[in-house]
């Protein structure tokens, strides 16, 4: 089993946002979804990974947390 930073994707009421990704980033997102699916046994659309990845990134940014508190 692969130890990915993202282990699950919660299903919440979404807010629609349109983004443009580079081809390389899209390929990586598809590959990440494939690895996550093989580990969890459940297929997931690569687009559904964007929000949890951003949430995890923001949650791990100590400078952002400090700036937000002040």
């Amino acid at each position: 089993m692969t130890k990915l930073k993202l282990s699950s994707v919660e299903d919440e009421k979404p807010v629609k946002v349109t983004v443009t990704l580079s081809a390389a980033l899209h390929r990586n997102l598809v590959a990440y979804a494939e690895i996550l699916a093989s580990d969890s046994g459940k297929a997931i659309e690569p687009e559904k990974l964007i929000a949890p990845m951003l949430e995890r990134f923001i949650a791990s940014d100590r400078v952002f947390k400090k700036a937000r508190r002040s």
Side-chain angles (χ1 to χ4, degrees):
M1 181 175 244
T2 309
K3 185 75 172 166
L4 298 175
K5 286 190 174 222
L6 191 63
S7 60
S8 66
V9 178
E10 294 183 28
D11 193 15
E12 294 184 7
K13 185 176 179 179
V15 174
K16 186 113 177 156
V17 176
T18 302
V19 297
T20 302
L21 306 175
S22 68
L25 179 55
H26 184 260
R27 284 191 298 272
N28 285 335
L29 199 59
V30 169
Y32 200 103
E34 290 170 353
I35 295 167
L36 188 60
S38 71
D39 284 353
S40 69
K42 294 189 315 186
I44 186 161
E45 297 171 27
E47 300 80 21
K48 294 204 178 224
L49 297 175
I50 296 170
M53 287 178 162
L54 285 172
E55 287 173 355
R56 182 137 179 143
F57 173 81
I58 289 171
S60 67
D61 190 328
R62 287 181 271 155
V63 175
F64 172 74
K65 285 181 188 178
K66 184 178 178 183
R68 189 152 188 205
R69 276 182 271 160
S70 57

